[in-house]
Amino acid sequence: MRKLTAALAAAALAAVATACGTGNGGGGTGALTVWLMDGSAPQEWLDELNAAFEEEHGVRVDVEIQQWDGIQDRVTTALSEDGTVDVLEIGNTQTVGYAGTGGLAGLSGLEDEPWNEPMLASARLDGTLYAVPWYGANRVVVYDRAIWREAGAEVPATRKEWLRALETIEENTDAEPLYLPGRSYYVMGGFVADEGGGFAVEEDGRWKGALNTPEGEAGMAFYARLHSFSDAPADNDEASPQQSTEIVPNRPVASWIGLGWEAAAAIEAIGERGQEADFGYFPVPGPTADRPGHVFLGGSNLAVSERAGDRELAEAWVRTATSARWHQRFVDAYDGGVVPARTDVTARPAEGSFAEAMVASADAGYLPPLTGGWSYVETEPNPVKDLMTRVLNGADYRTAAAEADTEITARINRD
């Protein structure tokens, strides 16, 4: 999540946010200290927001830009101390974990805003709101228009049509129809969600792995069918090697599944080779044409520290930053390239852009299990990734999934 959020922002805007002030921490300093992640906030938007807030409330806002590397340790320390931070940005898959430690303040005063429901789920714990959504992002299918024209393939709206298009490309061109690494488990999770399943389920207050199910098997089977059109190894993921810069620019690839920053990186890399990319974009297709396939909806939330110097003022900053007025300006600053956190804010991406396909997918967004223990599951060796590689190499799905579920259950319930 942390990589997705930072990278999306870097691709969406050329300007990278920098600190608005040095600050000495929150509480008792006459300033409000806000931690935002490198690349998350458009600078002009941030400057104008803080100028308006400072004028209204008579307090200085010190924004301290944080790097993603090592951020979990820094946030954990900051939330255990007085006077370090008042407002902070947190990755949406990390929010529940921090809330569970008691480090985040409840935000009941912001309950009634028109939040994007899939994004809002990541901000709650046991019915209490501990953060609010800020923005989201998800993957789409990136395709080479020239190769698809050569093959006579049509942009699909369903899984069946998608497979037919890949078959057409395979039959009529020398290009790789779809580059799909064997271990892109967030992509596979979307197919499981299409079937009504998930990585894990909660029963009687305890989580357990849920891949050894008909839904899990069907999702993995579709992933394997797609992977049959790819030359990617079964033991690689999308970052090793980096698909956008190390694979796509170096061989004829008809399509791949990626994020906005990856599409931008691929365009740049192709340009450096003296060529011009001609990409089109479409949502990951679902089983039927009336709804796109499920996609992992990454993003960031805004939270208030339980130890904030002035929690009421900190909540006021969050309320202002995510208000309809300021959030619309935030989304517009990204040219519609982020998924809005509010239903009364509209993304207005350019026709035919990556952002247009991404926003069209947002209502089918899904999240992994919202529990602090999920971070242990994602730690390498990731049992979901290992399951995928084993199955793609011919292992029996049920046997491999049962072993993966045992490992997921053991990890996800750790304190």
Side-chain angles (χ1 to χ4, degrees):
M1 164 51 26
R2 58 192 179 93
K3 183 175 181 180
L4 175 143
T5 306
L8 164 75
L13 282 181
V16 174
T18 54
C20 294
T22 56
N24 297 311
T29 66
L32 189 69
T33 299
V34 177
W35 281 15
L36 299 180
M37 302 311 301
D38 186 16
S40 287
Q43 188 62 56
E44 183 177 0
W45 174 87
L46 189 59
D47 289 343
E48 292 177 358
L49 166 71
N50 285 335
F53 188 85
E54 290 172 348
E55 181 177 357
E56 179 179 357
H57 294 275
V59 62
R60 188 176 77 253
V61 179
D62 290 338
V63 176
E64 299 180 359
I65 299 301
Q66 304 293 317
Q67 302 302 313
W68 285 103
D69 286 344
I71 188 58
Q72 294 197 45
D73 289 341
R74 293 198 300 279
V75 169
T76 298
T77 299
L79 294 179
S80 68
E81 300 174 342
D82 292 328
T84 300
V85 61
D86 299 303
V87 177
L88 64 163
E89 174 187 351
I90 302 176
N92 63 352
T93 62
Q94 302 166 354
T95 303
V96 170
Y98 290 125
T101 68
L104 303 182
L107 298 178
S108 59
L110 292 169
E111 283 274 5
D112 296 332
E113 297 297 312
W115 304 116
N116 176 314
E117 281 297 328
M119 297 170 69
L120 184 62
S122 70
R124 292 187 188 277
L125 177 63
D126 297 331
T128 298
L129 190 68
Y130 285 100
V132 297
W134 192 17
Y135 65 95
N138 53 260
R139 293 167 175 80
V140 309
V141 182
V142 184
Y143 71 99
D144 187 304
R145 295 178 190 271
I147 295 175
W148 281 56
R149 282 195 299 268
E150 177 188 350
E154 297 183 0
V155 173
T158 66
R159 283 187 184 182
K160 185 177 180 180
E161 292 174 0
W162 193 9
L163 294 175
R164 186 183 304 128
L166 296 176
E167 290 168 352
T168 299
I169 293 166
E170 187 172 56
E171 293 168 359
N172 297 320
T173 75
D174 294 327
E176 184 174 1
L178 175 71
Y179 179 78
L180 181 65
R183 296 166 70 89
S184 291
Y185 84 109
Y186 277 141
V187 174
M188 190 275 283
F191 302 145
V192 175
D194 284 342
E195 303 292 336
F199 293 123
V201 294
E202 186 177 18
E203 294 181 358
D204 300 324
R206 181 175 171 81
W207 289 86
K208 68 175 185 178
L211 289 173
N212 189 17
T213 59
E215 295 82 7
E217 186 170 13
M220 183 63 213
F222 184 69
Y223 188 96
R225 181 72 182 96
L226 290 178
H227 188 263
S228 70
F229 291 99
S230 179
D231 297 331
D235 59 355
N236 283 1
D237 62 27
E238 59 191 342
S240 303
Q242 175 50 248
Q243 59 181 6
S244 62
T245 56
E246 297 178 77
I247 300 298
V248 172
N250 293 313
R251 67 195 203 209
V253 173
S255 60
W256 47 291
I257 302 171
L259 297 159
W261 72 270
E262 291 181 300
I267 291 170
E268 181 178 359
I270 290 170
E272 290 174 351
R273 287 159 175 75
Q275 301 172 341
E276 184 175 352
D278 184 16
F279 289 156
Y281 313 95
F282 59 85
V284 172
T288 59
D290 60 335
R291 183 178 177 85
H294 283 78
V295 285
F296 171 65
L297 184 58
S300 282
N301 296 331
L302 292 174
V304 172
S305 170
E306 177 70 20
R307 295 173 178 265
D310 189 331
R311 280 170 46 179
E312 183 176 344
L313 191 64
E315 182 173 328
W317 190 92
V318 172
R319 180 186 296 278
T320 301
T322 58
S323 66
R325 173 194 175 197
W326 285 101
H327 193 55
Q328 184 67 68
R329 294 176 69 174
F330 176 86
V331 171
D332 289 345
Y334 277 106
D335 294 328
V338 294
V339 178
R342 299 175 61 102
T343 60
D344 56 355
V345 166
T346 304
R348 296 184 275 256
E351 184 176 356
S353 65
F354 182 99
E356 182 182 49
M358 183 187 72
V359 171
S361 306
D363 287 344
Y366 84 93
L367 291 168
L370 295 172
T371 173
W374 184 250
S375 62
Y376 298 116
V377 178
E378 292 188 312
T379 300
E380 298 294 344
N382 183 318
V384 183
K385 292 182 179 181
D386 288 348
L387 161 69
M388 296 173 68
T389 297
R390 291 178 63 188
V391 172
L392 292 175
N393 282 333
D396 174 70
Y397 179 84
R398 287 301 180 106
T399 301
E403 294 174 7
D405 280 350
T406 297
E407 185 66 18
I408 291 170
T409 300
R411 294 190 189 191
I412 201 171
N413 290 299
R414 289 180 188 171
D415 294 331

